[in-house]
Amino acid sequence: MLICPQCKFENPNSNKFCQNCGTSLTHKVCPECSTDVPINALCCHNCGKECGTVFWAIIAKETNGEALGVEKDQGDKGDVGVEGVEGDEGAIYSSSPLPPSFQIALGSYLDSQERYQLLYMLPGQTETTTITDVGVRVLDCQPYQISPIEAILASQQSDLLTPSVEASGIPRLAKLYIALQSQGQQEIPPIHDAWQQGDMQVVIIEDRSHWQPLLDRWQEETTSSLKILHWCYQMTQLWAALEPLNCRQSLLDLSNLRLDEDQTLALQRLYVESSSCQPATESPEDAEAQTFAIPEEPLTIQALGRVWQALFRQSQRTQFGSVVQMLGDLDVGNIHTIAQLRSRLEEISVELEALGTATLPPIKEKNTAVPTIPQSDEPEDIISKTDDIPTVVLPMQLSSLEDAGRTDVGRQRHHNEDYFGIETKIQKLELPKNRVLEGHGLYILCDGMGGHAGGEIASELAVNTLRQYFQEHWITNQLPTEDSIREAVFLANEAIYKLNQQDARSGVGRMGTTLVMLLIQDTEAAVAHVGDSRLYRLTRKRRLEQVTVDHEVGQREITRGVEASIAYARPDAYQLTQALGPRDENSINPDVDFFEINEDTLLLLASDGLSDNDLIETHWQTHLEPLLSSGVNLEQGVTDLIDLANQQNGHDNITGILIRAKVRPNLES
């Protein structure tokens, strides 16, 4: 089955074009030069830009029925001193030899369907040599073909214990990715495909080999101490998530610790620990290498302390006061649990903020001695915290605020009664060691009613009235109060109502409009709405949420306790219970809510022409989730949404406003 990249329609494998929207299923457009390129090509033949669909393939051997991670070889060391890791993008992770029959060569395929093609010759190998357990980049030559795992996850929303997964023949290693993916662990690469081949398992995951190594960012002079504490805190969160699946070893290889575009900690892949696995203390002659052997004792949180020490040593950073003490307590076993470790990190961050310490001590000169970690004579009295410790150790601040809006008449209407307005002000102060961004955004969407020369007048009048009000009354760097927001909505209602009275409009001739309005000040937001225009919110952790509740008869009945199926069986179920303009202010009661933006967030204001028939709920993963990434163009994103709504709905005017708010830890107090 071929899934159309545009409308997600399922097509037979023999189709060359989507039978629903006509999109090519054999070619795609190069993002650099707009040339048509075959979908199985790695690079554009015109400009040379890599535009193929590339994944990371892990080939591992099963022993005693358990999925193996990569057992480190004590030989070669890569650029940053991690054994078994080459320093280029074709990195190979070595372990025990594969069966002699398992051979691949440059340009060959990992599977019998000839879908996943090896992109690089394995270093030091001949074209047909037998390989060992590896991880390597591969080209997906059939990117529109849904994989069996994707089909299972889409239809079953499976987790590790779901019978359909257990019975499906999915490799054990793949089930670890599925389990973590089902928990919403964005730090783990999402799984794309997997299969078993004898005693070999092949797992295809997102390619993160080009993501920035944590070590590179750690050693930058401008990286603050609070930022480093935040990464350490993220590692404790990952440790807790990985422990039940015996994948804590994934945190002990420095080359496996990566940063995404928002400088958030992520893993390149999973490593599975053996029944007993503990990083070894490094010998003096190995002081510059990150040697993580597999000794006899069970893994404990002391391993995290050794990882942090390695990061300080490799980055040539000097450990600072409270961190030296914490690492010492970890080393001698005075910190026993993840909760205690998180508590200590929080205490240190509060201490640094109180002192106004935003940056680490300067980089020490090479070949000078690293301060030794003092060992405590007595255990420090640490108050253990419960499991509901905050997920963020630092307050957040805005790092970017972008928006795009578009309206379209649709396929059946002759005029457009929707109207929208966007006003964004960004103030930025940027210095070598300090960056402050203040964002001030007003986003208004109205869907008018009342026929030609009615609905469009009402929607435009509402937008302009609200804009003018906030230009005069929102002049500080704080959000308006709920009373102020409600006053603005009442003024917009009054302006339309007076025009109706002045023109002696009656019945269906009275013009009106819905309203959804979003106000953003830095990381604080407020939403007000009347009618059935909506606000959606999407984050990587919370996924898609509909923030507003439609003011319509069906929803009113549900709030009264009526079953949804009965409430929406009424012929008037979708009739509005509130709108701006037809009646005076005593007949409207706008909903006003406030919320914080404490993680990267995509917000969508949508008229019902865009949201009807569950279009957003059905297509958010393909048309909204990619827009969370900074590199994806919002203008194109809103255009794609409008096009999708015209294909799926098209019966009404269509309007959407997208806002992408990205945040980062507030490292300057």
Side-chain angles (χ1 to χ4, degrees):
M1 193 71 68
L2 298 177
I3 307 300
C4 173
Q6 179 64 33
C7 69
K8 305 308 169 185
F9 186 81
E10 295 182 356
N11 296 268
N13 289 337
S14 59
N15 277 26
K16 294 184 178 180
F17 296 92
C18 176
Q19 60 192 45
N20 180 58
C21 69
T23 298
S24 174
L25 300 177
T26 60
H27 288 73
K28 58 184 173 182
V29 177
C30 171
E32 185 74 18
C33 67
S34 300
T35 300
D36 281 347
V37 181
I39 60 171
N40 62 350
L42 176 63
C43 299
C44 173
H45 58 269
N46 182 50
C47 68
K49 180 179 178 61
E50 182 176 307
C51 54
T53 304
V54 176
F55 291 100
W56 189 260
I58 301 168
I59 309 169
K61 184 178 181 181
E62 280 199 355
T63 301
N64 298 326
E66 294 187 359
L68 289 182
V70 174
E71 299 176 1
K72 297 295 183 181
D73 180 76
Q74 296 297 319
D76 294 340
K77 307 231 176 359
D79 288 349
V80 293
V82 180
E83 56 281 314
V85 179
E86 298 290 338
D88 58 19
E89 59 183 350
I92 303 299
Y93 299 82
S94 297
S95 178
S96 56
L98 299 185
S101 59
F102 201 96
Q103 300 177 345
I104 57 174
L106 178 64
S108 63
Y109 297 92
L110 296 182
D111 58 317
S112 59
Q113 291 78 30
E114 297 190 348
R115 175 169 183 172
Y116 301 105
Q117 186 177 32
L118 181 67
L119 288 181
Y120 295 99
M121 191 64 212
L122 308 186
Q125 307 292 325
T126 64
E127 289 207 355
T128 58
T129 188
T130 299
I131 63 170
T132 57
D133 291 336
V134 298
V136 66
R137 297 179 82 219
V138 293
L139 174 68
D140 186 352
C141 298
Q142 302 169 31
Y144 300 159
Q145 177 74 53
I146 188 169
S147 73
I149 282 186
E150 288 177 314
I152 291 173
L153 293 177
S155 62
Q156 302 285 343
Q157 294 298 308
S158 304
D159 60 27
L160 187 64
L161 303 179
T162 300
S164 62
V165 175
E166 286 293 341
S168 64
I170 294 176
R172 300 176 67 89
L173 179 58
K175 292 176 184 178
L176 303 176
Y177 288 90
I178 294 173
L180 291 164
Q181 189 171 324
S182 69
Q183 297 169 14
Q185 295 289 340
Q186 298 296 318
E187 301 88 349
I188 311 302
I191 190 168
H192 175 68
D193 203 351
W195 63 89
Q196 192 84 21
Q197 186 169 339
D199 62 350
M200 299 309 306
Q201 47 189 334
V202 181
V203 179
I204 309 294
I205 60 174
E206 179 183 36
D207 177 25
R208 295 182 172 180
S209 61
H210 57 286
W211 287 23
Q212 183 183 25
L214 173 64
L215 179 62
D216 289 357
R217 182 67 174 167
W218 190 293
Q219 67 188 3
E220 291 182 10
E221 189 173 358
T222 55
T223 299
S224 72
S225 56
L226 285 174
K227 184 66 174 177
I228 283 179
L229 287 175
H230 187 62
W231 288 328
C232 292
Y233 192 87
Q234 286 181 290
M235 286 188 217
T236 65
Q237 292 176 305
L238 268 175
W239 181 277
L242 297 172
E243 185 172 11
L245 301 178
N246 292 322
C247 291
R248 293 167 295 178
Q249 185 74 19
S250 310
L251 288 166
L252 307 186
D253 182 343
L254 298 197
S255 70
N256 198 44
L257 304 178
R258 302 281 171 153
L259 297 174
D260 67 12
E261 61 183 11
D262 301 314
Q263 302 299 297
T264 298
L265 183 71
L267 299 180
Q268 181 173 339
R269 58 162 293 180
L270 290 178
Y271 291 120
V272 185
E273 61 210 58
S274 60
S275 57
S276 62
C277 177
Q278 171 80 9
T281 303
E282 298 163 53
S283 59
E285 61 270 22
D286 236 353
E288 293 299 298
Q290 294 143 268
T291 303
F292 295 95
I294 303 178
E296 300 299 327
E297 298 180 3
L299 201 58
T300 69
I301 60 171
Q302 290 180 332
L304 276 181
R306 294 191 176 101
V307 169
W308 296 341
Q309 291 180 50
L311 281 163
F312 276 109
R313 181 180 61 256
Q314 292 292 322
S315 64
Q316 300 294 309
R317 289 279 189 185
T318 301
Q319 298 160 10
F320 49 99
S322 301
V323 170
V324 173
Q325 182 66 45
M326 178 189 69
L327 292 176
D329 286 344
L330 259 177
D331 197 45
V332 299
N334 290 339
I335 299 176
H336 305 285
T337 68
I338 282 291
Q340 290 176 334
L341 187 54
R342 286 173 174 168
S343 177
R344 183 70 74 88
L345 288 167
E346 288 178 325
E347 290 169 4
I348 296 173
S349 69
V350 170
E351 173 189 331
L352 290 178
E353 288 182 284
L355 294 173
T357 306
T359 56
L360 284 168
I363 299 176
K364 71 181 181 66
E365 294 295 329
K366 292 189 183 236
N367 301 322
T368 59
V370 180
T372 56
I373 300 175
Q375 296 189 1
S376 304
D377 294 331
E378 298 179 1
E380 183 175 345
D381 184 18
I382 302 173
I383 300 175
S384 297
K385 296 198 172 184
T386 58
D387 288 338
D388 56 351
I389 293 173
T391 56
V392 224
V393 68
L394 299 174
M396 307 304 284
Q397 68 178 15
L398 196 67
S399 63
S400 69
L401 184 64
E402 304 169 83
D403 53 66
R406 184 183 162 193
T407 185
D408 188 86
V409 69
R411 292 187 170 182
Q412 296 182 20
R413 299 292 178 89
H414 299 293
H415 60 283
N416 195 344
E417 295 180 286
D418 288 1
Y419 200 80
F420 72 91
I422 296 175
E423 287 193 11
T424 306
K425 298 176 183 177
I426 302 292
Q427 289 186 318
K428 182 168 68 172
L429 170 65
E430 191 152 7
L431 300 170
K433 296 186 179 181
N434 189 21
R435 181 177 184 268
V436 177
L437 186 77
E438 290 184 355
H440 178 107
L442 175 64
Y443 312 93
I444 311 167
L445 186 153
C446 291
D447 179 357
M449 62 196 75
H452 185 60
E456 59 262 49
I457 293 176
S459 58
E460 183 175 357
L461 182 57
V463 170
N464 290 335
T465 301
L466 291 163
R467 287 180 56 243
Q468 183 176 348
Y469 176 89
F470 288 112
Q471 285 172 358
E472 297 172 0
H473 293 84
W474 187 13
I475 55 177
T476 67
N477 61 354
Q478 293 184 337
L479 279 177
T481 63
E482 179 178 347
D483 288 343
S484 179
I485 293 172
R486 292 175 68 86
E487 180 183 358
V489 176
F490 288 139
L491 285 175
N493 182 81
E494 182 182 7
I496 303 169
Y497 177 74
K498 283 184 175 179
L499 195 56
N500 275 324
Q501 297 296 93
Q502 175 185 316
D503 295 345
R505 293 173 179 258
S506 62
V508 294
R510 291 180 74 80
M511 58 186 175
T513 184
T514 68
L515 164 71
V516 60
M517 175 173 63
L518 176 69
L519 302 90
I520 292 179
Q521 180 66 55
D522 303 330
T523 58
E524 303 291 328
V527 57
H529 91 285
V530 175
D532 62 355
S533 293
R534 296 177 177 177
L535 174 68
Y536 290 92
R537 174 175 56 197
L538 174 65
T539 66
R540 290 190 174 94
K541 290 183 180 177
R542 298 172 65 94
R543 318 303 277 171
L544 181 73
E545 301 170 287
Q546 182 181 326
V547 179
T548 56
V549 178
D550 297 345
H551 294 144
E552 59 188 17
V553 172
Q555 284 292 339
R556 183 194 67 192
E557 295 304 297
I558 290 174
T559 60
R560 293 175 176 176
V562 178
E563 291 287 337
S565 59
I566 298 174
Y568 276 95
R570 296 174 53 129
D572 61 348
Y574 293 97
Q575 182 177 319
L576 296 182
T577 57
Q578 290 193 59
L580 298 184
R583 302 181 182 88
D584 63 25
E585 67 177 41
N586 295 319
S587 299
I588 66 167
N589 182 27
D591 287 339
V592 179
D593 292 298
F594 294 82
F595 60 92
E596 292 186 6
I597 303 172
N598 50 27
E599 59 177 308
D600 292 345
T601 303
L602 186 73
L603 296 149
L604 170 65
L605 283 70
S607 67
D608 61 347
L610 179 56
S611 62
D612 276 353
N613 299 317
D614 293 330
L615 183 134
I616 303 302
E617 289 80 357
T618 303
H619 297 280
W620 67 268
Q621 289 176 297
T622 55
H623 283 72
L624 290 183
E625 190 170 28
L627 300 175
L628 280 167
S629 299
S630 300
V632 182
N633 185 277
L634 279 188
E635 295 284 353
Q636 185 61 49
V638 75
T639 296
D640 290 344
L641 278 174
I642 299 293
D643 292 345
L644 178 66
N646 267 318
Q647 294 164 13
Q648 304 289 326
N649 294 330
H651 57 276
D652 199 356
N653 307 143
I654 306 165
T655 305
I657 300 174
L658 285 170
I659 303 102
R660 181 166 57 209
K662 301 187 83 69
V663 297
R664 61 185 176 89
N666 186 357
L667 306 180
E668 294 87 26
S669 327

